[in-house]
mmCIF file of all heavy atoms in Angstrom:
data_model
loop_
_atom_site.group_PDB
_atom_site.id
_atom_site.type_symbol
_atom_site.label_atom_id
_atom_site.label_comp_id
_atom_site.label_asym_id
_atom_site.label_seq_id
_atom_site.Cartn_x
_atom_site.Cartn_y
_atom_site.Cartn_z
ATOM 1 N N THR A 1073 -70.121 32.250 42.506
ATOM 2 C CA THR A 1073 -71.024 31.826 41.516
ATOM 3 C C THR A 1073 -72.407 31.456 42.022
ATOM 4 O O THR A 1073 -73.090 30.613 41.510
ATOM 5 C CB THR A 1073 -70.341 30.579 40.707
ATOM 6 O OG1 THR A 1073 -71.244 30.151 39.697
ATOM 7 C CG2 THR A 1073 -70.043 29.464 41.597
ATOM 8 N N ARG A 1076 -75.077 31.636 39.407
ATOM 9 C CA ARG A 1076 -75.005 30.741 38.292
ATOM 10 C C ARG A 1076 -75.031 29.300 38.720
ATOM 11 O O ARG A 1076 -76.013 28.662 38.640
ATOM 12 C CB ARG A 1076 -73.754 31.049 37.449
ATOM 13 C CG ARG A 1076 -73.741 30.514 36.016
ATOM 14 C CD ARG A 1076 -73.322 29.111 35.770
ATOM 15 N NE ARG A 1076 -71.981 28.830 36.306
ATOM 16 C CZ ARG A 1076 -71.437 27.681 36.423
ATOM 17 N NH1 ARG A 1076 -72.144 26.642 36.167
ATOM 18 N NH2 ARG A 1076 -70.249 27.517 36.840
ATOM 19 N N ASP A 1077 -73.949 28.812 39.351
ATOM 20 C CA ASP A 1077 -73.980 27.481 39.899
ATOM 21 C C ASP A 1077 -74.868 27.352 41.053
ATOM 22 O O ASP A 1077 -75.679 26.288 41.176
ATOM 23 C CB ASP A 1077 -72.564 27.113 40.314
ATOM 24 C CG ASP A 1077 -72.112 25.679 39.800
ATOM 25 O OD1 ASP A 1077 -72.987 25.107 38.977
ATOM 26 O OD2 ASP A 1077 -70.998 25.274 40.021
ATOM 27 N N GLY A 1078 -74.936 28.410 41.957
ATOM 28 C CA GLY A 1078 -75.930 28.343 43.104
ATOM 29 C C GLY A 1078 -77.293 28.322 42.623
ATOM 30 O O GLY A 1078 -78.216 27.694 43.316
ATOM 31 N N GLN A 1080 -78.475 26.516 40.463
ATOM 32 C CA GLN A 1080 -78.830 25.142 40.111
ATOM 33 C C GLN A 1080 -79.495 24.380 41.301
ATOM 34 O O GLN A 1080 -79.895 23.284 41.202
ATOM 35 C CB GLN A 1080 -77.632 24.319 39.641
ATOM 36 C CG GLN A 1080 -76.873 24.941 38.523
ATOM 37 C CD GLN A 1080 -77.754 25.100 37.270
ATOM 38 O OE1 GLN A 1080 -78.471 24.043 36.933
ATOM 39 N NE2 GLN A 1080 -77.745 26.136 36.604
ATOM 40 N N GLU A 1107 -70.206 36.072 39.194
ATOM 41 C CA GLU A 1107 -70.730 35.450 37.997
ATOM 42 C C GLU A 1107 -72.209 35.520 38.057
ATOM 43 O O GLU A 1107 -72.868 34.950 38.870
ATOM 44 C CB GLU A 1107 -70.283 33.910 37.899
ATOM 45 C CG GLU A 1107 -70.548 33.229 36.593
ATOM 46 C CD GLU A 1107 -69.897 31.904 36.531
ATOM 47 O OE1 GLU A 1107 -70.207 31.071 37.391
ATOM 48 O OE2 GLU A 1107 -69.090 31.683 35.623
ATOM 49 N N PHE A 1134 -71.159 33.679 32.051
ATOM 50 C CA PHE A 1134 -70.850 32.307 31.880
ATOM 51 C C PHE A 1134 -71.511 31.654 30.641
ATOM 52 O O PHE A 1134 -72.553 32.013 30.275
ATOM 53 C CB PHE A 1134 -71.362 31.495 33.105
ATOM 54 C CG PHE A 1134 -71.137 30.030 33.028
ATOM 55 C CD1 PHE A 1134 -70.019 29.412 33.556
ATOM 56 C CD2 PHE A 1134 -72.163 29.189 32.511
ATOM 57 C CE1 PHE A 1134 -69.823 27.996 33.439
ATOM 58 C CE2 PHE A 1134 -72.022 27.754 32.441
ATOM 59 C CZ PHE A 1134 -70.840 27.207 32.955
ATOM 60 N N ASP A 1204 -63.368 27.506 32.722
ATOM 61 C CA ASP A 1204 -63.628 26.488 33.736
ATOM 62 C C ASP A 1204 -63.330 25.114 33.050
ATOM 63 O O ASP A 1204 -64.038 24.764 32.072
ATOM 64 C CB ASP A 1204 -65.087 26.433 34.055
ATOM 65 C CG ASP A 1204 -65.502 27.414 35.255
ATOM 66 O OD1 ASP A 1204 -64.550 28.140 35.737
ATOM 67 O OD2 ASP A 1204 -66.639 27.480 35.640
ATOM 68 N N CYS A 1237 -62.008 22.446 37.843
ATOM 69 C CA CYS A 1237 -63.293 22.161 38.415
ATOM 70 C C CYS A 1237 -63.399 20.632 38.932
ATOM 71 O O CYS A 1237 -63.097 19.734 38.154
ATOM 72 C CB CYS A 1237 -64.430 22.368 37.409
ATOM 73 S SG CYS A 1237 -64.471 24.121 36.861
ATOM 74 N N ASP A 1238 -63.802 20.507 40.167
ATOM 75 C CA ASP A 1238 -64.262 19.110 40.569
ATOM 76 C C ASP A 1238 -65.715 19.011 40.448
ATOM 77 O O ASP A 1238 -66.395 19.133 41.394
ATOM 78 C CB ASP A 1238 -63.761 18.968 42.049
ATOM 79 C CG ASP A 1238 -64.031 17.532 42.522
ATOM 80 O OD1 ASP A 1238 -64.113 16.623 41.696
ATOM 81 O OD2 ASP A 1238 -64.219 17.350 43.708
ATOM 82 N N THR A 1239 -66.083 18.817 39.113
ATOM 83 C CA THR A 1239 -67.459 18.952 38.738
ATOM 84 C C THR A 1239 -68.362 17.866 39.514
ATOM 85 O O THR A 1239 -69.491 18.168 39.924
ATOM 86 C CB THR A 1239 -67.552 18.749 37.325
ATOM 87 O OG1 THR A 1239 -66.703 19.755 36.641
ATOM 88 C CG2 THR A 1239 -69.007 19.013 36.795
ATOM 89 N N ASN A 1240 -67.895 16.688 39.685
ATOM 90 C CA ASN A 1240 -68.701 15.685 40.298
ATOM 91 C C ASN A 1240 -68.484 15.690 41.799
ATOM 92 O O ASN A 1240 -69.165 15.060 42.671
ATOM 93 C CB ASN A 1240 -68.231 14.220 39.802
ATOM 94 C CG ASN A 1240 -68.725 13.974 38.407
ATOM 95 O OD1 ASN A 1240 -69.485 14.759 37.891
ATOM 96 N ND2 ASN A 1240 -68.288 12.851 37.858
ATOM 97 N N HIS A 1267 -62.537 25.235 41.683
ATOM 98 C CA HIS A 1267 -64.038 25.231 41.680
ATOM 99 C C HIS A 1267 -64.456 23.799 42.207
ATOM 100 O O HIS A 1267 -64.331 22.881 41.574
ATOM 101 C CB HIS A 1267 -64.545 25.469 40.260
ATOM 102 C CG HIS A 1267 -66.039 25.426 40.099
ATOM 103 N ND1 HIS A 1267 -66.802 26.530 39.879
ATOM 104 C CD2 HIS A 1267 -66.936 24.410 40.230
ATOM 105 C CE1 HIS A 1267 -68.144 26.173 39.711
ATOM 106 N NE2 HIS A 1267 -68.139 24.879 39.955
ATOM 107 N N ALA A 1268 -64.774 23.781 43.522
ATOM 108 C CA ALA A 1268 -64.979 22.542 44.174
ATOM 109 C C ALA A 1268 -66.481 22.333 44.534
ATOM 110 O O ALA A 1268 -67.140 23.276 44.948
ATOM 111 C CB ALA A 1268 -64.181 22.425 45.467
ATOM 112 N N HIS A 1269 -66.981 21.159 44.329
ATOM 113 C CA HIS A 1269 -68.247 20.771 44.811
ATOM 114 C C HIS A 1269 -68.234 19.993 46.048
ATOM 115 O O HIS A 1269 -67.188 19.286 46.360
ATOM 116 C CB HIS A 1269 -69.080 20.115 43.642
ATOM 117 C CG HIS A 1269 -69.606 21.015 42.638
ATOM 118 N ND1 HIS A 1269 -70.970 21.411 42.698
ATOM 119 C CD2 HIS A 1269 -69.032 21.674 41.616
ATOM 120 C CE1 HIS A 1269 -71.157 22.293 41.724
ATOM 121 N NE2 HIS A 1269 -70.042 22.471 41.005
ATOM 122 N N GLN A 1291 -63.349 29.624 43.684
ATOM 123 C CA GLN A 1291 -64.729 29.912 43.254
ATOM 124 C C GLN A 1291 -65.699 29.148 44.306
ATOM 125 O O GLN A 1291 -65.410 28.188 44.849
ATOM 126 C CB GLN A 1291 -65.007 29.260 41.921
ATOM 127 C CG GLN A 1291 -64.183 29.903 40.838
ATOM 128 C CD GLN A 1291 -64.720 29.688 39.423
ATOM 129 O OE1 GLN A 1291 -65.584 28.873 39.157
ATOM 130 N NE2 GLN A 1291 -64.301 30.486 38.476
ATOM 131 N N GLY A 1298 -75.812 25.361 45.770
ATOM 132 C CA GLY A 1298 -75.348 24.627 44.565
ATOM 133 C C GLY A 1298 -76.113 23.349 44.405
ATOM 134 O O GLY A 1298 -76.628 22.779 45.406
ATOM 135 N N GLU A 1299 -76.091 22.799 43.249
ATOM 136 C CA GLU A 1299 -76.791 21.453 42.978
ATOM 137 C C GLU A 1299 -76.238 20.343 43.817
ATOM 138 O O GLU A 1299 -75.086 20.538 44.363
ATOM 139 C CB GLU A 1299 -76.980 21.163 41.525
ATOM 140 C CG GLU A 1299 -75.575 20.879 40.842
ATOM 141 C CD GLU A 1299 -75.708 20.553 39.400
ATOM 142 O OE1 GLU A 1299 -76.750 20.061 38.935
ATOM 143 O OE2 GLU A 1299 -74.784 20.909 38.671
ATOM 144 N N ARG A 1300 -77.092 19.304 43.976
ATOM 145 C CA ARG A 1300 -76.736 18.177 44.791
ATOM 146 C C ARG A 1300 -76.378 18.646 46.232
ATOM 147 O O ARG A 1300 -77.138 19.140 47.004
ATOM 148 C CB ARG A 1300 -75.551 17.372 44.231
ATOM 149 C CG ARG A 1300 -75.823 16.862 42.756
ATOM 150 C CD ARG A 1300 -74.817 15.861 42.299
ATOM 151 N NE ARG A 1300 -73.476 16.305 42.562
ATOM 152 C CZ ARG A 1300 -72.714 17.154 41.740
ATOM 153 N NH1 ARG A 1300 -73.294 17.458 40.608
ATOM 154 N NH2 ARG A 1300 -71.527 17.434 42.006
ATOM 155 N N GLY A 1302 -74.145 20.964 46.954
ATOM 156 C CA GLY A 1302 -73.644 22.286 46.969
ATOM 157 C C GLY A 1302 -72.157 22.588 46.499
ATOM 158 O O GLY A 1302 -71.522 21.640 46.172
ATOM 159 N N ASN A 1303 -71.828 23.874 46.373
ATOM 160 C CA ASN A 1303 -70.499 24.286 46.064
ATOM 161 C C ASN A 1303 -69.707 24.610 47.317
ATOM 162 O O ASN A 1303 -70.249 24.597 48.449
ATOM 163 C CB ASN A 1303 -70.596 25.549 45.136
ATOM 164 C CG ASN A 1303 -71.052 25.297 43.827
ATOM 165 O OD1 ASN A 1303 -72.138 24.660 43.574
ATOM 166 N ND2 ASN A 1303 -70.312 25.682 42.845
HETATM 167 ZN ZN1 LIG B 702 -69.899 23.737 39.395
#
Side-chain angles (χ1 to χ4, degrees):
T1073 181
R1076 201 273 301 170
D1077 229 359
Q1080 301 300 316
E1107 191 169 55
F1134 172 90
D1204 274 1
C1237 302
D1238 183 24
T1239 310
N1240 290 351
H1267 176 111
H1269 279 263
Q1291 298 202 343
E1299 65 183 328
R1300 305 190 311 274
N1303 285 56

